[in-house]
Amino acid sequence: MKRSRVKTGITLASALLLAMSISACGTENSADKGGADGAAGSKNTAPAAKAPVKISYLTFRVGTHASAKMEEEQIKQFNAKYGNEVEVVVEEIPSDAAYVDKIKILAASGDVPDVVMGKDGINDVLIKGNLATPFNEYLDKDAEWKAAIGEDALASNTRDGKIWSISDQKQNIGYFYNKEMFEKAGIKPAETWDEFMSNNEKLKAAGFVPLALMTGENAWTSNLILAAMIGTNGENGKAFMNTLHPTDFNTPEMIQALNMMKELLEKYTTKDALGAGYANAANAFSQGKAAMIANGPWMIGDFSDPTKSGEGFDKKVGVAAYPNNSLISTYEVGYMIGAKTPETRDAAEKFIKFKTGLEGQTIALEYGNVMPVSSEVQPSDALKEKYPIMVESITVAQKTQLHYRTLDSIVYPNVTDAWKNQYPKLVAGKATAEEVAKELTEIAAKNK
C-alpha cells in the first residue's frame, strides 16, 4: 500500500512537470507569434516606425554664395525638428545661373524637384507646364502661417486666385558704395540721375572704377540700375516697372535707360563687365576694385568675411537709395511645390512652411541678412551690433517714397535670358538702344 502511494506520487509529480514544460513552451511560442499576427504576447505590439518621407531639393545657396550659411542653418534646424517625418535630399548647384538652367531642363522632361525656388522665370515655366501645386488649401488650413507671410507677399505670387509660390524675403535694394572712394572723389550719393552720372566721372578722374557691373547670367547688378533708371522716369516708367510680363519695350523710358547703360558699360565699369557673372561683380566691389555695386542686404555679410573682403572693409561701406529718393522694393518669388504625390506634396509643404514661417524668416535675417516678410521678425541686438549697415539699410528703405520691382520679377523668362546677348551688341555698336528694345519686344511676344 505504501509502495503504491509512492509510485502514484512520482507519477503525479512527473505529470505536473510535463504540464509546466508544455505550458512554458506554449507561452514562448505564443510570444514569438505575437510579433507576426499581433494576437498574443507583449513583445513588438507597437506599430513599426514610419520611415520619413523623402523629398528632393536643389539649391544654389552653397559654397561662397551670400546666402549659403542661411541655407545650411535652415536645413539643419528643420532636420532637428522634423527629420523623423521628412528627409530632405539636397543637391547642390554651383551657381544661380546653373540652377536656373538645370530646373528648366528638368521641367522640359516634366521631372522637377519636390521643392523648387521659382526665381528668374522658373515660376512661369512650372505654372505653364502644369508642374506646380498651388498653396491655397494649405494656407486656408493654417491661419498662423498665412499671417506670417502677409497679404502683400501672398498677392505678389498670386495668379488668377491661385497662390503658386511662397515668398521667403522682401527685397529692398539700393546700392552699396565705398565711403573712402567717395570722400576722395569729393562726392556723396546722388539725388538725381545727372548727379549720378557726374559722380561716375568724378570717381574715374580720382583714379577709381565707379561701378561693378556684369552682363553675363541675368545681368543682375546692371539690370538693377537699369530698373531704377526706368522706374524713376515719370509715371510711365514707374508703371512699366510694376507691370507683370510687359510686352512692349519700345518706350522712351526703356530706350533712354538703355543709352545710359551703354555709357556706363563703356566708360565706368571694370574691363571684364561684358560677359561677367555675379561673382565677378561682387568680387570687384568687395576687393576695393570698384566704388559702387547695386545689390541687396544679403551681401552685407561678405563685407566682413575675410575670404571675400579685406580687413576692415565693412567699415568703409555705405548704403544708398537710387536717385529720386527711390528703391527697388519687391517680394522674392520664393518656393514652389513640384512634388507629384499627395505624400510628397505634404512633406514639401512642411519644409516650405518652416523656411517661410517666422522661424525660417528669423534664421534668414540672422544668418543671411535677408529682409523678412513679416514685421514680427526683427533683427537681434547682436545682429545690429555686428552689422550696423543692416540697420542703415532698413533706415534708407523707410525713407524712400518711390518703389518699383526688379526686371527679373516682371519680365518673361526668355527676356531674362536675352540680356546677356543684348548688352554686348549694344556696347559694341552692333545694335542701337531702339533696336535692342525692338528685339526684346519680339522675344516677349513669343510667350503669347
Side-chain angles (χ1 to χ4, degrees):
M1 188 72 175
K2 187 175 181 181
R3 182 182 297 177
S4 175
R5 287 179 181 175
V6 172
K7 183 178 181 181
T8 301
I10 293 173
T11 303
L12 289 172
S14 299
L16 181 60
L17 288 171
L18 179 61
M20 290 175 64
S21 176
I22 293 171
S23 175
C25 291
T27 301
E28 184 177 349
N29 290 338
S30 295
D32 290 341
K33 291 179 180 178
D37 59 21
S42 59
K43 295 183 181 180
N44 302 322
T45 55
K50 188 177 180 181
V53 179
K54 289 185 179 183
I55 57 171
S56 54
Y57 175 56
L58 274 62
T59 178
F60 51 89
R61 292 167 171 163
V62 297
T64 60
H65 195 281
S67 297
K69 292 180 181 178
M70 175 198 83
E71 180 77 286
E72 181 183 5
E73 188 64 24
Q74 282 185 334
I75 294 174
K76 176 184 174 182
Q77 291 197 29
F78 176 81
N79 288 338
K81 191 169 185 177
Y82 298 108
N84 62 331
E85 301 174 41
V86 179
E87 180 182 345
V88 183
V89 181
V90 180
E91 181 180 346
E92 298 184 349
I93 307 298
S95 70
D96 297 52
Y99 173 83
V100 172
D101 290 343
K102 180 154 187 175
I103 295 296
K104 288 180 179 179
I105 291 171
L106 293 172
S109 64
D111 187 25
V112 297
D114 296 317
V115 176
V116 180
M117 169 61 78
K119 71 192 304 288
D120 294 358
I122 288 175
N123 58 334
D124 290 316
V125 173
L126 266 61
I127 294 169
K128 188 176 180 180
N130 196 29
L131 296 171
T133 298
F135 285 88
N136 298 61
E137 290 187 13
Y138 290 111
L139 290 164
D140 289 342
K141 296 175 183 177
D142 196 330
E144 186 177 341
W145 182 30
K146 193 172 186 178
I149 302 162
E151 292 182 6
D152 290 344
L154 291 174
S156 70
N157 289 314
T158 299
R159 310 265 185 94
D160 298 324
K162 293 182 179 180
I163 303 169
W164 290 103
S165 59
I166 302 295
S167 180
D168 65 333
Q169 60 182 276
K170 186 174 184 178
Q171 295 184 332
N172 289 328
I173 306 172
Y175 66 92
F176 297 108
Y177 65 96
N178 188 308
K179 291 186 287 188
E180 283 190 356
M181 292 181 181
F182 266 48
E183 185 178 351
K184 290 178 181 178
I187 61 174
K188 60 181 179 59
E191 296 182 6
T192 67
W193 286 108
D194 285 343
E195 186 180 358
F196 184 84
M197 300 304 282
S198 174
N199 279 355
N200 287 316
E201 187 59 37
K202 289 177 181 178
L203 283 164
K204 186 176 180 179
F208 304 119
V209 174
L211 290 159
L213 300 178
M214 52 172 281
T215 66
E217 299 172 352
N218 61 346
W220 176 249
T221 65
S222 299
N223 273 359
L224 291 177
I225 295 177
L226 184 71
M229 290 173 173
I230 299 167
T232 56
N233 195 348
E235 287 301 317
N236 289 339
K238 178 184 175 183
F240 182 94
M241 286 310 307
N242 285 290
T243 298
L244 181 63
H245 296 157
T247 55
D248 186 4
F249 292 77
N250 297 302
T251 69
E253 297 79 20
M254 174 62 73
I255 292 168
Q256 183 177 346
L258 285 171
N259 278 321
M260 290 172 71
M261 281 303 304
K262 182 176 186 290
E263 184 176 355
L264 295 182
L265 288 165
E266 286 175 338
K267 298 169 60 177
Y268 302 121
T269 190
T270 56
K271 293 180 180 180
D272 68 345
L274 288 179
Y278 170 78
N280 302 84
N283 181 68
F285 181 75
S286 294
Q287 292 296 317
K289 298 175 183 176
M292 293 179 280
I293 186 169
N295 210 6
W298 53 84
M299 192 184 189
I300 290 172
D302 289 359
F303 305 149
S304 56
D305 185 339
T307 66
K308 298 179 180 180
S309 305
E311 185 177 355
F313 181 72
D314 56 319
K315 304 296 190 297
K316 301 177 182 179
V317 180
V319 61
Y322 296 109
N324 296 5
N325 193 26
S326 71
L327 197 74
I328 290 172
S329 183
T330 186
Y331 291 98
E332 176 61 86
V333 173
Y335 299 98
M336 307 180 75
I337 297 176
K340 299 176 180 63
T341 69
E343 189 177 42
T344 53
R345 284 173 188 152
D346 289 348
E349 180 267 345
K350 185 180 287 291
F351 182 55
I352 293 170
K353 180 165 68 172
F354 179 84
K355 275 180 144 285
T356 60
L358 296 181
E359 286 181 272
Q361 290 182 47
T362 301
I363 295 168
L365 174 60
E366 296 294 323
Y367 286 83
N369 296 299
V370 169
M371 294 285 187
V373 296
S374 172
S375 59
E376 289 187 43
V377 180
Q378 295 293 325
S380 65
D381 291 339
L383 183 68
K384 292 176 184 177
E385 184 177 351
K386 184 176 182 181
Y387 299 125
I389 193 173
M390 183 72 181
V391 179
E392 188 180 349
S393 296
I394 294 172
T395 302
V396 167
Q398 291 172 339
K399 290 182 178 180
T400 55
Q401 296 178 331
L402 176 59
H403 299 138
Y404 37 86
R405 300 172 66 179
T406 64
L407 282 159
D408 280 6
S409 68
I410 65 170
V411 302
Y412 285 111
N414 59 346
V415 175
T416 297
D417 291 339
W419 295 110
K420 59 179 172 285
N421 298 319
Q422 297 302 319
Y423 276 129
K425 289 196 297 184
L426 180 66
V427 175
K430 295 181 179 179
T432 63
E434 289 81 1
E435 289 169 337
V436 169
K438 181 181 178 182
E439 189 163 348
L440 292 173
T441 301
E442 292 172 351
I443 292 170
K446 295 177 181 178
N447 294 279
K448 294 181 180 179

